[in-house]
Amino acid sequence: EVHLVESGGELVQPGGSLRLACAASGFTFNNHFMDWVRQAPGRGLEWVGRSRNRDHGYTTQCAASVKGRFTISRDDSKNSVYLQMNSLKIEDTAIYYCARVSGIPGERFFENWGQGTLVTVSS
Amino acid sequence: QSALTQEASVSGTVGQTVTLSCTGNSNNIGRYVVGWYQQISHGTPKTVMFGNSLPSGIPDRFSGSKSGTTASLTISGLQPEDEADYYCSTWDYSLDAGVFGGGTKLTVL
């Protein structure tokens, strides 16, 4: 059974940094892209970024709203993906989900989701 | 402003058939498969459809389709447990980013 467990969310001051982790199990981690998706209080889902697998050069992509502040990385030996968040803003307050991406090119989708971790940016 | 446009709310009675739509453009829906995600009471999202394929465990009352730059999720024989927020999502070629719709709140009367 696939399990995705996020951790690292907490209260942080504006301008601060935080590193989220997502530990995966139940599937061959290094075969999959892994994405981060967030949901601000009372709002919809927002795509944050993607970590591609070794076959795709471990490349990453981030949404325009976080580009230059957030960085995604992965450690296949630990079956984990990370979200490094710097220069945090109040509007980054959200539940952050990691999601397993499945499918072939042009047909990729989020197959599994973690339970999320809450990041609160406030003074 | 979301890249994909969904109805803010849709309602139906038990047993009815409802269709949720998701409209994009040639850089996203016109180019890639669309996934649909159910979120009950702001809990963890759950995948209910990708393209026109059902994930395991999802009842076949759910079906998906696409025409041009609009994707649709149809739920037939609506059940009380279907009441949730539904989000569509895909990749956007020009943005080189994932995109979501704003979500549709489905109410089962």
Side-chain angles (χ1 to χ4, degrees), chain B:
Chain B
Q1 185 98 10
S2 303
L4 306 178
T5 300
Q6 298 182 249
E7 302 94 343
S9 63
V10 169
S11 62
T13 57
V14 173
Q16 195 177 9
T17 294
V18 296
T19 297
L20 283 57
S21 69
C22 175
T23 301
N25 59 40
S26 59
N27 288 311
N28 43 61
I29 294 179
R31 199 177 182 108
Y32 301 110
V33 157
V34 174
W36 289 89
Y37 307 96
Q38 177 193 66
Q39 189 178 39
I40 298 174
S41 300
H42 296 285
T44 299
K46 178 180 179 180
T47 304
V48 294
M49 184 66 56
F50 55 97
N52 56 7
S53 299
L54 269 177
S56 61
I58 302 301
D60 60 7
R61 302 184 291 102
F62 288 79
S63 62
S65 63
K66 185 172 79 170
S67 177
T69 57
T70 297
S72 299
L73 177 71
T74 298
I75 309 172
S76 58
L78 201 60
Q79 297 298 308
E81 60 265 30
D82 298 332
E83 184 163 292
D85 293 323
Y86 290 85
Y87 295 90
C88 60
S89 177
T90 188
W91 192 258
D92 189 290
Y93 178 81
S94 65
L95 297 175
D96 201 17
V99 289
F100 277 93
T104 295
K105 182 177 181 59
L106 173 63
T107 301
V108 180
L109 302 170

Side-chain angles (χ1 to χ4, degrees), chain A residues 20 33 44-45 67 90 108:
Chain A
L20 305 184
F33 296 0
L45 300 176
K67 198 167 287 185
I90 291 175
R108 292 197 171 97

Side-chain angles (χ1 to χ4, degrees), chain A residues 19-119:
Chain A
R19 188 194 195 211
L20 305 184
C22 171
S25 61
F27 64 98
T28 304
F29 182 79
N30 57 20
N31 283 349
H32 288 265
F33 296 0
M34 297 294 295
D35 281 18
W36 287 95
V37 175
R38 69 183 180 183
Q39 186 170 35
R43 306 292 297 274
L45 300 176
E46 179 189 12
W47 182 81
V48 174
R50 170 163 290 180
S51 166
R52 296 184 178 88
N53 59 10
R54 185 178 65 176
D55 288 350
H56 291 80
Y58 290 125
T59 55
T60 61
Q61 216 87 24
C62 279
S65 58
V66 305
K67 198 167 287 185
R69 300 188 299 121
F70 289 13
T71 304
I72 297 175
S73 61
R74 64 193 288 158
D75 185 339
D76 287 354
S77 69
K78 295 182 179 179
N79 286 354
S80 293
V81 62
Y82 306 98
L83 181 65
Q84 176 67 44
M85 304 185 293
N86 299 330
S87 302
L88 281 160
K89 304 176 181 180
I90 291 175
E91 54 263 39
D92 294 320
T93 295
I95 296 173
Y96 285 74
Y97 298 99
C98 70
R100 176 173 77 139
V101 178
S102 294
I104 62 175
E107 298 185 3
R108 292 197 171 97
F109 65 101
F110 306 121
E111 186 167 12
N112 305 96
W113 299 73
Q115 85 291 346
T117 187
L118 176 62
V119 173

